[in-house]
Structures are given as C-alpha cells and as structure tokens.
Amino acid sequence: MRPSVYMSSIVPAAAREILEESCDLEFYKGDGPSTADEILSRINDKDGLLCLVSDRVGREIMDAGKRLKVISTASVGFEHIDVAEATKRGIYVGYAPGVLTDATADLAFALLLASARRIAEADRYVRAGEWKIAWSPTAFLGASVWGVTLGLIGFGRIGQAVARRARGFDMKVLYNDEARLPPEEERERGVEFRPLEELLGESDIVSLHVPSTRETFHLMDETRLSLMKKGAILINTARGPVVDEAALFSALKAGIIGAAGLDVFEKEPIAMDNPLLALDNVTVVPHIGSATSESRRRMAELGALNILQVLKGETPEAWLNPEVVKVRPLNEVKMI
C-alpha cells in the first residue's frame, strides 16, 4: 500500500513531484495555509504531514493523526511543532535549514538600508502627493551606513551571511552568540565578539538572528533597548517574540533608539491597531525573509524529501529528533 501524505498548503510543483511518485498526496487547495480544523479533518489516515511555519502541530493533531510516522516543515523555524511530543510517539520530525540563509540575509540588509535612509517613509510621501519642492537640503535626512558598527545577536548561518554583506559597507562587525568562535576564525571572518550588553552599547545597528526559545523570549526588552545607542537602528528578521513590542514602541516614540526594520512580529498577521504601525521610523514587511522563488522552492523540496526518506526507511536529510530512532526505528516506519 502506498503511503498517504497531506500537505497543508499548495507548494511548488517540484516538491509535490518528489512525493507523488511514491505516495498518495492530498493537499489543501484554498488560499494560504490550512486551518487547524482543516488539518484535523484530513490527517486521520495520513502517514506523513508536510506543514508550514504558520501551522501549529501539537498533541491535538498528533492524536488525530494516529498513523503519522513523519512530520516535516518547509521552514527553518520549528517552534510551531511539539518536537518532544512527536518524539515520544515515534514520529520523525524534519525541517529545512540552510536553504533560506542568503534570502533572509538579503532582507535583513534591505531593512537595514531602508530604515537608515527612510526609504519606506519617503515612498509614502511621494505616493501621497506631498512632494512639492524638487530638492531640499533637509528633506528625509537619514543615517549613513558606511563604516558604522553592526552588532549581530546570533551568529549562525544567517548572522554570518549578514556579516559577509557588511564587509562591502566597510562596517565594523560585532557579534554575540552562545558559542564563541576561535580567535583565528574571528580574524578570518573580520568579526569581534562582545558580551550582549557591550554589543548593544557599541553598535549603530543591531540585527537579530536568534531562534524563538524560552531563553530568547523578549530578549530585547525595555532594559536592553535602553542600552542601545541613541539613534541606533534595530533589525529583526528572526522571530517576533524575541522583541518586546510594547517596549520597542516606547523606545522609538521617546527617541531612545532611532528606527526599526521588522519582518516578524509577536502576533502574525500584525493587528492593524498595533501602535508600531503609526510610527514613521518603523519599516515593516510581512514575514518575507525567505520570499524568493529559489528559496521557497528549495524549502518545500527539502521538506518533501525528509518525508520521502523516512517512509523509505532512510535517515532524513534534515531532522530535529535523531533520538526518535530509540522509540521507533527506521525499519518500523519504512513503507516504500
């Protein structure tokens, strides 16, 4: 019998083809991702689930999906999946690291430039018909990014990719991470380690590249925002809960920091009454860090490949719970 797999959204054809050759594939055909109720109604006879970062996959879905052998997300983030619960049940969990590194680093730098040079604010000004004087020496004065100090909080794949881009702007790059690099590697990469508080105080621009965990929840709170340089810029392409949005609003409104560029938010989609949207010194985009055709295609393909490999009894390309083999070995989930 062919395995049965459910996709919670329409994904690029290449990813569907990976699974369709060996599996019976069902996918949600509506706009956007499936709702929780939609997944619950479809998952009871499925062996695999390909989900998105917007899907909450916890006990309720696992209870409904009694045949589930593998869950794979077409994202590098995995906080939407209860990995520990899946492991207890012998369900393999895959994800898609590495394939969105450059796309997200590009967006971080785009938000950095847009925030420093007030691009979104100037765009709104022109579109509103307010541009009445051809040129003014004081119009939309922004901050230079050439030769400034960039502080990276989190120095994994994406943080390192941002550091490489910073070289082209002659920036001094500081970083903070749980694991410090050896001195020779720091020199090779042209970066300097700083304790978090020192990094915040020295950086003209701070860019966040940490996962969403209990330890990083509201990492940028009122206290830490107050440690940043006056006029400094905060960039967040990591996860919304890393920043205390109420504290950020207060810091921006009071001029404690100069601007923010945000791709992610505590609640997504962002509520239209969120006070951050009323500030001219905030540039916002709707969680598009990985939004290039190439990245989205590769994310979906890796997510699909993880499922196929598990159902073949093979070690998946990228998985989050290797310890699951002690609960249910690969030979017991093999169906192809």
Side-chain angles (χ1 to χ4, degrees), residues 171-294:
M171 292 179 176
K172 178 180 180 179
V173 180
L174 311 178
Y175 80 98
N176 177 271
D177 194 88
E178 289 183 349
R180 181 172 179 176
L181 299 175
E184 61 274 15
E185 192 169 344
E186 289 182 347
R187 289 191 294 272
E188 180 182 330
R189 295 180 182 274
V191 299
E192 299 177 22
F193 179 85
R194 290 288 190 280
L196 181 56
E197 287 72 20
E198 291 182 23
L199 180 148
L200 293 172
E202 291 183 41
S203 300
D204 301 293
I205 302 166
V206 173
S207 189
L208 304 175
H209 302 286
V210 294
S212 179
T213 65
R214 290 180 182 178
E215 291 72 29
T216 62
F217 179 76
H218 284 186
L219 176 71
M220 296 304 296
D221 57 11
E222 180 181 5
T223 299
R224 291 201 174 97
L225 288 166
S226 70
L227 295 176
M228 292 176 64
K229 281 185 176 181
K230 184 177 177 61
I233 296 168
L234 179 69
I235 305 298
N236 189 11
T237 55
R239 285 292 183 262
V242 174
V243 176
D244 181 341
E245 289 181 3
L248 177 61
F249 172 80
S250 297
L252 289 162
K253 186 77 173 176
I256 294 172
I257 65 173
L262 308 173
D263 179 45
V264 289
F265 306 89
E266 291 196 70
K267 178 185 176 184
E268 296 180 359
I270 191 171
M272 292 310 296
D273 61 354
N274 188 311
L276 288 170
L277 297 180
L279 298 178
D280 283 333
N281 56 346
V282 177
T283 301
V284 295
V285 292
H287 202 145
I288 60 171
S290 64
T292 67
S293 298
E294 173 67 10

Side-chain angles (χ1 to χ4, degrees), residues 79-156:
E79 64 272 12
H80 55 295
I81 301 173
D82 189 337
V83 178
E85 183 64 27
T87 303
K88 289 179 189 176
R89 298 174 186 236
I91 300 171
Y92 289 69
V93 183
Y95 72 134
V99 297
L100 48 69
T101 297
D102 286 319
T104 306
D106 286 347
L107 183 72
F109 228 86
L111 285 170
L112 182 160
L113 291 167
S115 300
R117 296 301 304 272
R118 302 171 64 181
I119 300 297
E121 186 183 354
D123 178 85
R124 292 192 297 269
Y125 178 84
V126 173
R127 292 176 186 276
E130 297 179 20
W131 188 19
K132 305 298 184 184
I133 300 173
W135 185 86
S136 168
T138 58
F140 292 100
L141 295 179
S144 174
V145 299
W146 179 262
V148 302
T149 298
L150 172 65
L152 300 172
I153 300 178
F155 204 61

Side-chain angles (χ1 to χ4, degrees), residues 19-42:
L19 291 169
E20 284 174 335
E21 183 176 346
S22 305
C23 305
D24 293 329
L25 186 61
E26 185 178 349
F27 53 88
Y28 180 60
K29 298 178 182 178
D31 294 331
S34 299
T35 63
D37 287 343
E38 180 74 19
I39 296 175
L40 285 168
S41 70
R42 306 271 189 157

Side-chain angles (χ1 to χ4, degrees), residues 69 92 310 313 325-335:
K69 299 172 179 65
Y92 289 69
V310 169
V325 297
K326 298 177 183 177
V327 181
R328 186 156 52 164
L330 279 164
N331 67 295
E332 293 185 13
V333 297
K334 181 178 179 179
M335 297 184 69

Side-chain angles (χ1 to χ4, degrees), residues 29-90:
K29 298 178 182 178
D31 294 331
S34 299
T35 63
D37 287 343
E38 180 74 19
I39 296 175
L40 285 168
S41 70
R42 306 271 189 157
I43 202 67
N44 65 303
D45 61 346
K46 301 300 185 293
D47 302 291
L49 168 64
L50 180 63
C51 63
L52 303 179
V53 71
S54 53
D55 301 318
R56 312 306 299 183
V57 183
R59 292 185 181 183
E60 187 177 16
I61 285 176
M62 294 180 205
D63 284 342
K66 298 186 184 302
R67 280 176 39 180
L68 278 174
K69 299 172 179 65
V70 56
I71 297 166
S72 188
T73 181
S75 64
V76 65
F78 53 85
E79 64 272 12
H80 55 295
I81 301 173
D82 189 337
V83 178
E85 183 64 27
T87 303
K88 289 179 189 176
R89 298 174 186 236

